[in-house]
């Protein structure tokens, strides 16, 4: 059995990071997210995946090019124009064998055992089985009402607050019979959540399976940062020999530097004297942390630079971005690729700075 992984979306809620890096390639503990997806599918007994690509496909294809996945196959179905979550599945049809398939939203990090959901699906007469998870606020998800034997009564994508009747939502993980692919129109945009699932529900052929395992959609700065911290802490995705203190040998660590686990420091990083890299941070390749600078609970993409005395807390620093002397970046702020936060700026409250933007010294303060 193969999976179709939907990785063609623009990742607009994770901008400005996703202007340069597709959501599937954002790092968790210095491994691209898609790696966790492949591991999840392989652990679920699947033999391969078709990546349904659209927006920024090249970095994903380059990543897998020349990689040995030990028998797990990867194919690419690339869209010329966005086909949506159903169209993206249809577009992958040529790489499938005509049997049942698993479909996964390419931005969900899950610790569940996929094999159980596949088994449940096979035992039923449904055309599709949706994995559900319980969340506090269903309004950002697909709300799913089920009856006592897990038949779906209602599928409501992105319910308004006054439409919320349950905490159970679509986890973005499905098992589909081949008949479902036949229902999807070819060559045009369509949504599995808004078109196909409501139709299957009305036909009484849509079932659900509730998972209580770890689950997170990494599609917003808050959830991505939480997922990063969870992976660093070994809450999810921890293989054997998990090391809370993952510091590359080639990293240069100066005098009096504190590196507090759980942490990941990629090769080529330079941590200058007195710097603190606090718990639950991950530093991509070739990052520089200046003297006495502090980084805590943050993700730094490759080549990010934090100048002496600067403080970065609970934020996301894009590739090659620079935080100037004594500047403060905190509160879920997100810096796009190559942008520069000049000396003494204070960024807080989820500020997002677009790629390449240069903030002159002291120009921004909260
Ligand atoms: N190939 C392709 N083409 N993929 C797409 C397209 C497209 O046009 N549009 C979106 N995708 C991919 C995204 O890259 C993402 O991996 C996945 O489809 C879901 O899109 P999101 O934009 O992340 O959707 P969402 O998070 O708002 O909602 C979806 O996921 C929730 C769970 O996280 C829905 O499926 C909800 O019902 C669900 O609860
Ligand atoms: Mg999503």
């Amino acid at each position: 059995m193969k999976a179709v992984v939907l990785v063609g979306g623009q990742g607009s809620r994770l901008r400005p990071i996703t202007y340069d890096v597709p959501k599937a390639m954002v790092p968790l503990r210095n491994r691209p997210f898609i790696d966790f997806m492949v591991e999840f599918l392989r652990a679920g007994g699947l033999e391969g995946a078709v990546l349904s690509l659209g927006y920024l496909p090249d970095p994903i294809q380059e990543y897998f090019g020349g990689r040995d996945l030990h028998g797990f196959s990867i194919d690419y179905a690339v869209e010329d124009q966005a086909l949506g979550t159903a169209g993206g599945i249809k577009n992958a049809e040529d790489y499938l064998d005509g049997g049942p398939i698993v479909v996964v939203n390419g931005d969900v990090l899950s610790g569940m055992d996929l094999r159980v959901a596949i088994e449940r699906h096979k035992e039923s007469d449904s055309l599709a089985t949706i994995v559900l998870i319980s969340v506090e606020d269903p309004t950002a998800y697909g709300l799913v009402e089920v009856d006592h034997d897990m038949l779906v009564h209602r599928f409501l994508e992105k319910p308004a607050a006054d439409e919320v009747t349950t905490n159970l939502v679509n986890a973005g993980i499905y098992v589909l019979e081949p008949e479902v692919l036949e229902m999807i129109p070819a060559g045009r945009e369509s949504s599995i959540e808004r078109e196909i699932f409501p139709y299957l529900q009305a036909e009484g052929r849509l079932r659900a399976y509730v998972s209580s395992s770890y689950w997170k959609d990494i599609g917003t700065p808050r959830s991505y940062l939480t997922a990063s911290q969870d992976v660093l802490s070994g809450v999810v995705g921890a293989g054997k020999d998990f090391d809370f203190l993952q510091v590359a040998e080639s990293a240069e660590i100066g005098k009096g530097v504190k590196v507090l686990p759980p942490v990941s420091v990629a090769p080529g990083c330079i941590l200058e004297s007195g710097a603190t890299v606090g718990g639950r941070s991950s530093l991509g390749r070739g990052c520089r942390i200046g003297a006495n600078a502090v980084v805590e609970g943050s993700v730094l993409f490759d080549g990010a630079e934090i100048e002496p005395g600067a403080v970065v807390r609970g934020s996301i620093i894009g590739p090659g971005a620079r935080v100037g002397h004594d500047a403060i970046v905190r509160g879920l702020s997100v810096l796009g690729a190559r942008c520069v936060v000049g000396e003494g700026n204070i960024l807080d409250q989820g500020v997002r700075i677009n790629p390449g933007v240069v903030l002159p010294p002291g120009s921004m303060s909260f």
Side-chain angles (χ1 to χ4, degrees):
M1 196 187 235
K2 275 193 191 176
V4 174
V5 186
L6 291 166
V7 276
Q10 296 192 359
S12 49
R13 283 160 295 183
L14 209 49
R15 285 175 187 160
I17 290 299
T18 42
Y19 283 125
D20 293 79
V21 183
K23 202 156 53 165
M25 291 300 291
V26 299
L28 295 174
R29 198 168 176 261
N30 280 313
R31 280 170 61 200
F33 175 73
I34 193 78
D35 243 22
F36 292 82
M37 178 58 77
V38 166
E39 223 158 74
F40 168 70
L41 296 172
R42 190 206 292 278
L46 299 190
E47 67 207 39
V50 186
L51 305 186
S52 174
L53 305 167
Y55 177 73
L56 291 183
D58 297 349
I60 303 170
Q61 287 183 269
E62 277 160 25
Y63 177 70
F64 284 112
R67 260 191 138 73
D68 181 8
L69 295 176
H70 311 287
F72 188 87
S73 69
I74 300 273
D75 292 294
Y76 309 98
V78 188
E79 294 158 16
D80 300 328
Q81 60 181 75
L83 293 173
T85 48
I89 303 169
K90 184 74 175 174
N91 197 45
E93 204 170 14
D94 286 351
Y95 300 96
L96 303 170
D97 62 7
I101 56 167
V102 166
V103 172
V104 194
N105 283 350
D107 61 350
V108 299
L109 178 64
S110 167
M112 77 176 283
D113 183 351
L114 202 45
R115 287 172 300 189
V116 187
I118 296 171
E119 270 319 302
R120 289 293 153 79
H121 173 79
K122 285 184 177 162
E123 288 159 15
S124 78
D125 60 350
S126 59
L127 289 178
T129 298
I130 310 177
V131 174
L132 307 184
I133 39 97
S134 177
V135 296
E136 226 161 82
D137 176 12
T139 56
Y141 305 99
L143 179 100
V144 185
E145 288 177 13
V146 287
D147 69 12
H148 63 281
D149 62 359
M150 301 313 280
L151 200 61
V152 174
H153 270 287
R154 191 172 182 220
F155 189 106
L156 184 60
E157 184 65 15
K158 310 280 183 320
D162 62 0
E163 291 176 304
V164 172
T165 49
T166 170
N167 284 336
L168 293 178
V169 301
N170 169 23
I173 302 171
Y174 325 123
V175 190
L176 306 183
E177 290 300 315
E179 286 90 326
V180 178
L181 270 76
E182 284 161 28
M183 294 171 188
I184 305 174
R188 77 158 171 87
E189 200 271 338
S190 63
S191 160
I192 195 158
E193 297 88 350
R194 295 179 195 274
E195 296 167 50
I196 308 299
F197 286 155
Y199 175 77
L200 288 170
Q201 180 275 320
E203 296 285 301
R205 305 296 299 277
L206 185 62
R207 262 172 216 281
Y209 166 78
V210 181
S211 163
S212 54
S213 303
Y214 181 94
W215 183 90
K216 196 156 283 296
D217 175 326
I218 63 149
T220 66
R222 182 184 298 280
S223 62
Y224 167 50
L225 210 50
T226 308
S228 167
Q229 297 180 355
D230 290 343
V231 170
L232 287 162
S233 309
V235 175
V236 61
K240 51 179 168 29
D241 305 326
F242 183 81
D243 189 356
F244 287 96
L245 193 64
Q246 183 184 60
V247 180
E249 265 174 37
S250 62
E252 283 176 35
I253 315 272
K255 258 202 189 136
V257 166
K258 282 193 210 142
V259 183
L260 311 173
V263 75
S264 174
V265 178
C269 285
I270 299 173
L271 279 51
E272 293 173 356
S273 59
T276 301
V277 174
R280 307 184 304 162
S281 290
S282 97
L283 276 48
R285 286 176 174 265
C287 289
R288 176 189 288 270
I289 313 298
N292 302 316
V294 176
V295 175
E296 274 177 1
S298 297
V299 177
L300 274 54
F301 282 60
D302 292 352
E305 238 180 285
I306 313 302
E307 290 185 348
V311 175
V312 175
R313 281 209 169 92
S315 292
I316 301 168
I317 312 296
R322 180 149 54 89
V323 177
H325 278 72
D326 300 321
I328 300 174
V329 177
R330 64 184 175 211
L332 265 179
S333 295
V334 187
L335 307 190
R338 302 168 305 279
C339 73
V340 180
V341 175
E343 186 172 343
N345 278 287
I346 301 175
L347 271 53
D348 198 351
Q349 299 173 26
V351 169
R352 303 189 192 202
I353 309 293
N354 274 339
V357 166
V358 178
L359 291 180
S363 59
M364 235 183 162
S365 177
F366 280 80

